């Protein structure tokens, strides 16, 4: 066999090996992409729980300015629930809260829901400020979504909370700084509220429902 023919055969064999290796590499990459896509879809399905459904109302008879203030807090907290999925609600909510007001709900890591009821309005710690006392009930059940998609049930019931509201021209979370005062939700804090009062306006039926993902429906 002459040198040219030997060289040609060696080149063909080498190219064939390269073609086989190339095809194997392409196949491996394609398989990895499919597995990655599948894993991503699985992770998405694990986390595709419905948005939180917290609901707020007024649980006791209030009148005049007390009713106005309590209704402001109710409307603001209901907007917060909507703001999880609605940018317009988020923009409106930002106009009603102080820049430092903290919202765990807007992290997107909660599902299920609770019911909150305003029960009392009292003078706040500063001029033109008021404390709105609310009772929070863990029904139908609120859950934190862990990184792996599992649910961690929150542990609270009939918890008294205080919401501090001010009649002020201070800047809101939206950056607005009006010339005329308006209500602004300033802060929240646990209170040593009246559990008997919370018991008296406890919602019925008191359901507990574990949310399911859209993949599990």
């Amino acid at each position: 066999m002459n040198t040219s023919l030997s060289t040609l055969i060696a080149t063909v064999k080498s190219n064939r090996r390269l073609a086989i290796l190339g095809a194997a590499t392409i196949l491996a990459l394609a398989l990895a992409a499919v597995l990655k896509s599948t894993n991503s879809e699985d992770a998405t399905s694990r986390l595709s729980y419905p948005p939180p459904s917290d609901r707020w109302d007024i649980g006791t008879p209030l009148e005049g300015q007390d009713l106005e203030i309590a209704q402001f807090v109710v409307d603001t907290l209901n907007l917060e629930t909507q703001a999880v999925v609605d940018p317009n609600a988020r923009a409106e909510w930002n106009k009603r809260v102080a820049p430092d007001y903290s919202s765990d709900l807007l992290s997107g890591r909660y599902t299920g829901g609770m019911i909150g009821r305003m029960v009392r309005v009292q003078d706040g710690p500063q001029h033109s400020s008021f404390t709105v006392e609310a009772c929070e009930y863990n029904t139908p059940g609120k859950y934190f979504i862990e990184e792996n998609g599992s649910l961690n049930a929150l542990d609270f019931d009939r918890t008294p909370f205080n919401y501090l509201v001010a009649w002020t021209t201070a800047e809101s979370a939206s950056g607005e700084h009006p010339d005329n005062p308006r209500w602004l939700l300033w802060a929240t804090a646990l209170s040593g509220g009246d559990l008997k009062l919370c018991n008296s306006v406890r919602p019925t039926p008191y359901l507990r429902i574990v949310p399911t993902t859209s993949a599990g429906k």
Side-chain angles (χ1 to χ4, degrees):
M1 184 180 296
N2 60 42
T3 304
S4 297
L5 182 57
S6 298
T7 302
L8 178 60
I9 292 173
T11 301
V12 170
K13 288 182 178 179
S14 176
N15 289 341
R16 183 179 297 172
R17 284 196 299 271
L18 288 174
I20 293 172
L21 288 172
T25 301
I26 292 172
L27 182 60
L29 290 173
L31 181 59
V34 169
L35 290 174
K36 182 178 180 180
S37 175
T38 301
N39 290 337
S40 177
E41 290 173 1
D42 287 346
T44 300
S45 68
R46 287 198 300 270
L47 296 175
S48 59
Y49 291 99
S53 57
D54 294 2
R55 180 164 52 87
W56 297 85
D57 57 32
I58 297 174
T60 58
L62 298 174
E63 297 179 349
Q65 182 174 257
D66 287 356
L67 176 60
E68 179 185 346
I69 296 169
Q71 190 61 55
F72 169 79
V73 178
V74 164
D75 293 343
T76 302
L77 296 178
N78 282 329
L79 267 174
E80 183 180 356
T81 301
Q82 299 169 33
V84 176
V85 294
D86 184 350
N88 293 327
R90 177 65 178 269
E92 182 60 30
W93 179 81
N94 282 334
K95 296 177 183 178
R96 303 167 72 98
V97 302
D100 293 335
Y101 183 85
S102 177
S103 171
D104 292 336
L105 192 67
L106 295 180
S107 68
R109 298 295 301 277
Y110 291 89
T111 187
M114 48 78 71
I115 294 175
R117 291 190 161 157
M118 306 301 151
V119 294
R120 188 157 45 202
V121 178
Q122 298 176 314
D123 289 340
Q126 299 176 351
H127 177 67
S128 296
S129 71
F130 300 86
T131 298
V132 183
E133 187 176 325
C135 300
E136 301 187 354
Y137 308 90
N138 195 14
T139 179
K142 196 167 180 178
Y143 298 81
F144 179 78
I145 306 171
E146 302 288 355
E147 290 289 347
N148 63 1
S150 63
L151 296 181
N152 185 4
L154 301 189
D155 183 17
F156 67 92
D157 186 34
R158 302 168 299 162
T159 305
F161 250 84
N162 282 342
Y163 290 84
L164 181 62
V165 178
W167 182 251
T168 178
T169 59
E171 182 180 6
S172 70
S174 67
E176 293 184 343
H177 199 303
D179 294 330
N180 298 316
R182 82 297 193 209
W183 295 117
L184 195 68
L185 182 55
W186 205 262
T188 66
L190 279 168
S191 78
D194 187 348
L195 284 178
K196 289 183 179 180
L197 181 57
C198 288
N199 282 332
S200 70
V201 294
R202 187 175 186 266
T204 55
Y206 203 88
L207 304 174
R208 297 306 297 269
I209 303 171
V210 180
T212 59
T213 66
S214 56
K217 293 181 179 178

